[in-house]
Amino acid sequence: MRSDSVNKGMARAPHRSLFKALGFIDEEFNRPLIGIAVAKSEIVPGHLHLDTIAKAAADGVRLAGGVPVQFPVIGVCDGIAMGHEGMRYSLVTRELIADSIECMVMAHGFDGVIYIPNCDKIVPGMLMAAARLNLPGVFVSGGPMLAGRKDGKPLTLTTVFEAVGAVGAGTMSEAELADLEEAACPGCGSCSGMFTANSMNCVTEALGMALPGNGTIPAVMAERLRLAKKTGVLLMEVLKQDLRPRSILTEKAFMNALALDMALGCSTNTVLHLPAIAHEAGFTLDLDCFNKVSAVTPNLCRLAPAGPHAIEELHAAGGIPAVLGELAKKQLVDGSAATVYGTLGEAIKAGVNRNPEIIRPIDTPYSATGGLAILRGNLAPDGCVVKRSAVAPAMLKHTGPARIFDAEEAAFDAIMGGKIKPGDVIVIRYEGPKGGPGMKEMLGPTGALAGMGLDDKVALITDGRFSGATKGAAIGHVSPEAAEGGIIGLLKEGDRITIDIDAHSITVKAGEEELARRKAEWKPSAPKVTTGYLARYARLVSSAATGAVFVE
């Protein structure tokens, strides 16, 4: 066992002395030492209860003969960080999380790891760590928040962001906004729509790194605690079999994950995270893979923000096994893919679609193609992404004048000030991985547009990114980014931009000579941040088109 290196033999007497300071007894040195990487905190609603999940997982480890040891992992609440300086510090934590877990596991000789994330960057950061370490490991998340309720209607965090725009448009009072604020987020758990956190927790099931139910069992249910306890027991079996993450995180697994991604209509942030996880697993997952899978995978679910349904409803309808079961009917997923509990086919076989209104049958999908689309053209030669399933039909093809903003805040002020008109194409640039730095999510502007009733009349493009809670013709990850001299940085007010989502195209009406002239005149802007982690991040990070991973 790896833990022998820290607790066996005469030379390790000092080490054992320190373990005994923690309360260890000699008998525990003969059992596997299991790290429990838990992102518990009191600032993230999705993580508030993770101590209870960790305790249940630890109980499972002890039941199966292991010695569990918890250690903490950081996590940013994207909702609280949204719309201000704090959002620069969201995506950048993904690399910090992976690095810090590597440090803790390698330094302390753990034999295996249980990963307990829940929210946006914590899930992919932990998956990156698991792939990098390649030690026996299993995931169990904290589970989704229940939807809020008002007047019998479900509410999500998106409802509140959109209500801000409604107040700005004069269609809602501040008193009504305050009522929504009280009701939308009723307790612990990851926000209740198919936003980034729930997208990644569901995708973890398809990747084979978690038990069925990981992505959909609500945070407050005892079933979630039972899942955590089973995960602890399972980890010990995974350790016994010496089953390693890289034997699970294969190209086959990622193709299954992409198919699920398209069927569910997951967050556009999966286009950043899945390539980054694949990178740690030792292979390249390029943007073309997303379009190839989307072309043959129907969109079966319209969960918030694309539709009215919350994750708890997806769980009641049969969860991820039921969605995978529908896809399997057309051989769109490979049941032979390995998982921590056997093969994906075992989950598929057990899946039952209990509500075809929530999970459309494979023969009657919402659309014949998937929920995400990668667009290319002279405006984004390296690609960009849109959540197609959350775009109004009228906006699938759109041409309009560019309205240029060099920061999110300026665009938000213009929206709230009534300066954006139907037909406009809002351009927010210098918010990419390097230019931001940190590639901010922009739920504030998209929520305001929706609240003002403009989400089906106005497009928004950016080299930054969007929350999974975003809906509308919101096109992110435009690459190359403005700070790298990308075409988005050369646009001028009034340039005509054409978006054709079905044709996977995004172009600006400007000749090659004109763009070349602008490029020759372009000068890099001064870095927004010159000290600290953000400055280091901006120097190391790659393009969004390659997952915004660090370049060694």
Side-chain angles (χ1 to χ4, degrees):
M1 295 188 295
R2 288 188 73 252
S3 56
D4 289 352
S5 65
V6 297
N7 63 26
K8 289 292 193 303
M10 180 194 59
R12 295 297 181 255
H15 304 64
R16 289 193 296 275
S17 181
L18 290 168
F19 274 106
K20 288 179 178 180
L22 296 167
F24 276 62
I25 59 175
D26 287 338
E27 287 80 358
E28 290 177 296
F29 296 134
N30 296 317
R31 297 182 178 188
L33 187 65
I34 305 303
I36 298 184
V38 56
K40 154 74 179 177
S41 77
E42 294 183 348
I43 192 62
V44 185
H47 293 189
L48 182 64
H49 64 305
L50 292 190
D51 53 343
T52 65
I53 304 297
K55 181 182 181 301
D59 288 346
V61 169
R62 287 200 182 277
L63 278 172
V67 179
V69 181
Q70 293 184 35
F71 63 87
V73 177
I74 66 166
V76 166
C77 176
D78 279 23
I80 292 175
M82 196 76 65
H84 58 87
E85 180 71 11
M87 182 41 70
R88 289 180 177 167
Y89 289 88
S90 171
L91 178 62
V92 304
T93 63
R94 189 186 69 182
E95 272 56 37
L96 280 176
I97 289 164
D99 290 350
S100 63
I101 291 173
E102 176 191 354
C103 292
M104 290 295 289
V105 171
M106 296 306 293
H108 298 105
F110 291 116
D111 297 302
V113 187
I114 294 177
Y115 299 88
I116 305 180
N118 210 28
C119 291
D120 294 31
K121 308 312 161 300
I122 299 86
V123 185
M126 287 191 178
L127 282 164
M128 290 166 68
R132 183 188 303 174
L133 289 165
N134 201 32
L135 292 172
V138 185
F139 279 66
V140 59
S141 77
M145 184 186 294
L146 295 176
R149 296 280 166 180
K150 182 172 172 54
D151 301 328
K153 297 180 180 178
L155 306 175
T156 70
L157 182 65
T158 306
T159 313
V160 189
F161 272 97
E162 293 178 358
V164 172
V167 172
T171 58
M172 179 181 288
S173 69
E174 290 194 34
E176 290 173 307
L177 174 62
D179 285 345
L180 291 177
E181 174 187 324
E182 291 283 342
C185 298
C188 66
S190 48
C191 296
S192 58
M194 188 49 75
F195 312 149
T196 304
N198 292 324
S199 294
M200 289 306 303
N201 283 323
C202 290
V203 161
T204 303
E205 287 189 47
L207 286 172
M209 289 299 294
L211 284 166
N214 179 68
T216 60
I217 298 171
V220 296
M221 293 179 68
E223 187 181 358
R224 173 63 56 179
L225 294 177
R226 295 197 297 272
L227 184 76
K229 195 172 292 185
K230 289 177 182 177
T231 298
V233 173
L234 175 62
L235 186 278
M236 297 304 296
E237 182 59 30
V238 167
L239 180 63
K240 181 180 178 181
Q241 295 178 13
D242 195 30
L243 184 59
R244 306 291 179 118
R246 289 189 192 175
S247 67
I248 294 170
L249 295 172
T250 62
E251 292 189 46
K252 185 187 298 184
F254 279 89
M255 291 304 103
N256 285 339
L258 287 182
L260 179 70
D261 191 347
M262 298 306 164
L264 291 175
C266 288
S267 165
T268 53
N269 281 312
T270 61
V271 179
L272 282 177
H273 299 323
L274 286 173
I277 299 161
H279 175 75
E280 294 289 353
F283 63 91
T284 299
L285 184 69
D286 62 36
L287 295 187
D288 290 336
C289 290
F290 286 82
N291 273 347
K292 288 177 182 176
V293 174
S294 180
V296 297
T297 308
N299 180 221
L300 304 181
C301 300
R302 288 286 166 93
L303 301 152
H309 307 299
I311 301 298
E312 65 199 74
E313 296 175 87
L314 175 61
H315 180 64
I320 301 310
V323 179
L324 293 172
E326 292 294 341
L327 295 175
K329 292 175 182 178
K330 294 289 180 74
Q331 293 77 50
L332 296 172
V333 289
D334 189 337
S336 70
T339 71
V340 288
Y341 53 84
T343 66
L344 196 66
E346 294 174 40
I348 292 170
K349 185 177 180 180
V352 178
N353 186 350
R354 299 186 182 94
N355 189 339
E357 292 184 11
I358 305 296
I359 303 171
R360 286 278 185 94
I362 193 71
D363 291 322
T364 56
Y366 282 100
S367 65
T369 55
L372 299 181
I374 305 299
L375 314 183
R376 295 183 189 269
N378 68 349
L379 183 47
D382 291 346
C384 55
V385 62
V386 63
K387 191 170 188 174
R388 186 192 186 284
S389 59
V391 178
M395 291 299 294
L396 292 173
K397 188 170 185 177
H398 177 76
T399 298
R403 303 296 310 280
I404 308 295
F405 303 94
D406 287 347
E408 175 196 5
E409 294 81 0
F412 181 77
D413 290 345
I415 295 167
M416 295 298 291
K419 296 178 182 178
I420 302 301
K421 307 300 181 187
D424 285 348
V425 178
I426 300 170
V427 176
I428 304 178
R429 60 193 184 185
Y430 293 99
E431 294 287 12
K434 288 184 178 293
M439 203 178 185
K440 292 190 291 186
E441 285 187 344
M442 301 187 196
L443 183 54
T446 58
L449 286 171
M452 290 181 158
L454 291 172
D455 57 302
D456 61 350
K457 302 175 182 67
V458 169
L460 195 161
I461 67 172
T462 181
D463 53 8
R465 62 195 179 92
F466 296 109
S467 164
T470 289
K471 67 179 181 181
I475 299 162
H477 311 190
V478 172
S479 300
E481 62 175 292
E484 293 272 85
I487 301 299
I488 189 172
L490 309 181
L491 297 177
K492 293 185 177 181
E493 189 81 9
D495 279 346
R496 302 290 290 179
I497 294 174
T498 295
I499 300 160
D500 190 337
I501 294 174
D502 287 338
H504 302 282
S505 172
I506 182 166
T507 58
V508 56
K509 189 177 181 181
E512 291 184 13
E513 291 184 6
E514 171 62 15
L515 291 176
R517 184 186 65 78
R518 294 185 192 181
K519 177 68 173 179
E521 296 174 351
W522 177 84
K523 294 180 180 179
S525 58
K528 295 176 184 176
V529 180
T530 57
T531 61
Y533 180 60
L534 285 181
R536 193 180 325 132
Y537 181 88
R539 289 194 299 270
L540 295 174
V541 72
S542 71
S543 167
T546 55
V549 297
F550 279 177
V551 178
E552 301 296 337

